[in-house]
Each structure stands twice: as C-alpha cells, then as structure tokens.
Amino acid sequence: MEAQNQEVAALVEKIAGLHAAISKLPSLSPSAEVDALFTDLVTACVPASPVDVAKLGPEAQAMREELIRLCSAAEGHLEAHYADMLAAFDSPLDHLARFPYYGNYVNLSKLEYDLLVRYVPGIAPTRVAFVGSGPLPFSSLVLAAHHLPDAVFDNYDRCGAANERARRLFRGADEGLGARMAFHTADVATLTGELGAYDVVFLAALVGMAAEEKAEVIAHLGAHMADGAALVVRSAHGARGFLYPIVDLEDIRRGGFDVLAVYHPDDEVINSVIVARKADPRRGGGLAGARGAVPVVSPPCKCCKMEAAAGAFQKAEEFAAKRLSV
C-alpha cells in the first residue's frame, strides 16, 4: 500500500508540474512547445495507475478540473487547425489520416459500435445524434460510413464555427454519405422534442466538463430521449481522468437510464465507454433493475480485442487510401 501511495504521489506531482507549465503558455494553438507538453501529459496519464482521482485532495481536484479545461481548449485549437488544413484539399475526406490521432477515432468508434450491438440486442438505428461533434466529426464519419450505413446522423455543437468547419469536410464527398450528415449549432440543454426522435445518442467526452455539468446534461437527455433509446457516453478511468471527465454511473442511473456495460481500454484509446438505455417501463426497465452487476469489459473482451487488432490497421489504411463511401 505504501508503494502505491508513493506511486500516486509521484504521478500527481508530475502532472501538477505539467499543468503549471501548460498554464503559462501564451497560446494553446499547435506549436512545438504546446505539442511537447501535451505529449508528455498524455504519456504520463495513459499507463495503468492505482490513482483514484475521486480521492484526491481539494487542491489536486482543482488542478485536475482546470487541466481538463486546458486540454479541451487545446484539443479545440488542434482540431480547428487540422480542419482548415483538410478543407484546403479538393476532396478533404481523402486526407483524414493527416490528423495525428485519426486512428484512435477509428478504433474508438468501432469499439463503441461493437459494445452497442453486443449489449443492446436487436438495435438497428436509423436516426443517431452525436452531441459535441466539433470541427472534426471523425466519430460520426466512421460510424456512418462503416458501421451504421442506414442511419442519418445529426451532429450538435454549440460552436457555429466548428460546425462550419465540419461541413467543409464534405466538399466532394459521396452524395449518400453527405446526405446522411447534418450539423446543428445548439447547446444540448436547449434540445427537447428533437431528442425523442433518436434511436441512439452519443455524448462526447468534453460535453459537461465538471461532474455537476455532466450530471445535468445526462439528466436532460434522460428527460427527453425516447424510452428504450440507447445512450453511449465517453468517460475516463484511472490517471486518464486528468485528461477527460470521469462519468459517475449513479448520475446515469439517476438520469433515468439502465447502465448496460462499461469499457475501460488498456491501449492508446484514451476514453472509457459506457453503454446505457433509457428505462422503458413497458419492458420492465427502470432504476430498480439497473443497480445489479454491470459488465465491465476491462481489459477488452477477447472478441473486441481480436477484432480491433485485426481490423484497426486495415481500416486506417483504407480510410487514408480512398474516400469514405457507403
């Protein structure tokens, strides 16, 4: 136990030092210095760690919350930079692999799809919402093109500039794919009746960065999504909680959802994935039945791990080599 405590203390000290250095940067736009500091941060946070961020002291908690906001801002600058770069090509979708973390989105989206169809039997989505899609809507692109070819995607982001950048990526795109991707400038808190039309809602990791903000977003979704609809939430685990918010399963249950599965990756994919379903009284769903054991797929189940290993490189190469098509 003492060795674990020392390991946690050393990690928190290292991350606090990186937070201090990042806080002093004059800009979070891509640069050699910015890239180096965030690379060091990710390298420190990705390995398995005994740290439980919920048990950190007040000072470390405040540092973590500010660090997540800094990561969010830097991620926004990075995505905007690459969105503009891609838009300069005649066919932007032919060049997606220029984004350095594109492969991670390919892997994460495939894993989300695998978990969705495994733990929500019989689901065949025709309408999907992605909340927090940003200027590079890679997740929606991968899901629409290769996993949910019959679904229409509504992408929501409260930043109009992000949506405009996302739309430009579809210049010269396959008409079928482009027709299934729409972008809306709206805060999720303003969506009501629209949410009831979706079979699945994906919630991006940085929508609601503080715990109470995330809980409010989930409660709002629970109040307006259709009974039986699926919710896929991106979270974090262990030291990765210094990069992204950790979602409390109880907040999902209190929002009116049955939690079906939790996935904690042990590879380069940063985000954990939670699969839930809006409680449907007609099918006996509800909070009373949602408090049993939740399957925690960590490390990945053999099925997911084998499929990911066999298909990830092929998918990335395929996406880089030719235009996405349905």
Side-chain angles (χ1 to χ4, degrees):
M1 181 61 71
E2 180 60 29
Q4 279 195 357
N5 290 340
Q6 291 177 356
E7 180 182 350
V8 169
L11 176 65
V12 173
E13 182 179 1
K14 180 172 185 177
I15 292 174
L18 289 167
H19 165 259
I22 291 170
S23 298
K24 294 176 183 176
L25 290 170
S27 169
L28 293 176
S29 296
S31 68
E33 186 177 14
V34 170
D35 294 348
L37 283 172
F38 278 100
T39 296
D40 288 346
L41 178 63
V42 172
T43 300
C45 293
V46 166
S49 168
V51 66
D52 182 349
V53 298
K55 296 180 180 178
L56 296 175
E59 185 176 346
Q61 288 286 8
M63 178 272 291
R64 171 180 169 261
E65 289 190 8
E66 184 181 352
L67 184 57
I68 289 173
R69 295 186 184 279
L70 289 169
C71 288
S72 174
E75 187 172 308
H77 284 297
L78 181 69
E79 292 194 0
H81 171 79
Y82 276 92
D84 291 341
M85 177 191 295
L86 291 170
F89 292 100
D90 291 335
S91 299
L93 297 185
D94 290 345
H95 304 276
L96 300 182
R98 289 177 178 266
F99 185 68
Y101 306 110
Y102 176 65
N104 287 12
Y105 282 93
V106 172
N107 293 339
L108 176 57
S109 298
K110 183 182 187 307
L111 289 168
E112 287 177 322
Y113 171 75
D114 288 344
L115 291 166
L116 182 66
V117 297
R118 180 178 179 185
Y119 291 102
V120 188
I123 191 167
T126 59
R127 292 203 65 186
V128 176
F130 197 100
V131 180
S133 49
L136 289 178
F138 287 149
S139 297
S140 293
L141 279 168
V142 174
L143 288 164
H146 291 276
H147 303 302
L148 297 172
D150 298 321
V152 173
F153 281 72
D154 285 323
N155 297 279
Y156 292 96
D157 199 286
R158 62 186 181 183
C159 176
N163 284 325
E164 185 55 38
R165 284 186 165 100
R167 290 187 189 99
R168 292 207 304 265
L169 296 179
F170 287 88
R171 187 177 66 256
D174 176 270
E175 291 183 2
L177 178 61
R180 293 191 292 118
M181 299 286 285
F183 297 91
H184 310 278
T185 301
D187 190 311
V188 64
T190 67
L191 304 178
T192 54
E194 303 97 317
L195 294 172
Y198 299 114
D199 304 303
V200 184
V201 174
F202 288 84
L203 183 62
L206 292 171
V207 177
M209 285 182 277
E212 58 275 12
E213 295 171 349
K214 186 75 74 174
E216 289 175 2
V217 170
I218 292 170
H220 182 79
L221 292 173
H224 298 286
M225 284 174 59
D227 292 344
L231 175 66
V232 180
V233 181
R234 292 179 179 176
S235 181
H237 183 67
R240 300 173 186 214
F242 286 102
L243 305 173
Y244 292 100
I246 294 177
V247 180
D248 189 337
L249 296 184
E250 287 303 311
D251 286 336
I252 296 179
R253 293 184 176 111
R254 281 190 289 265
F257 295 91
D258 295 334
V259 179
L260 305 179
V262 179
Y263 172 84
H264 297 312
D266 61 355
D267 55 17
E268 71 279 1
V269 174
I270 304 297
N271 292 117
S272 297
V273 178
I274 302 167
V275 177
R277 181 170 50 196
K278 175 71 179 297
D280 187 348
R282 296 168 299 177
R283 299 180 181 176
L287 297 182
R291 297 185 183 277
V294 175
V296 177
V297 190
S298 177
C301 64
K302 289 184 179 179
C303 174
C304 290
K305 197 169 186 176
M306 289 172 62
E307 289 181 1
F313 180 77
Q314 179 181 349
K315 288 284 187 184
E317 288 294 308
E318 176 186 345
F319 286 7
K322 66 181 181 180
R323 181 177 304 163
L324 290 168
S325 62
V326 294

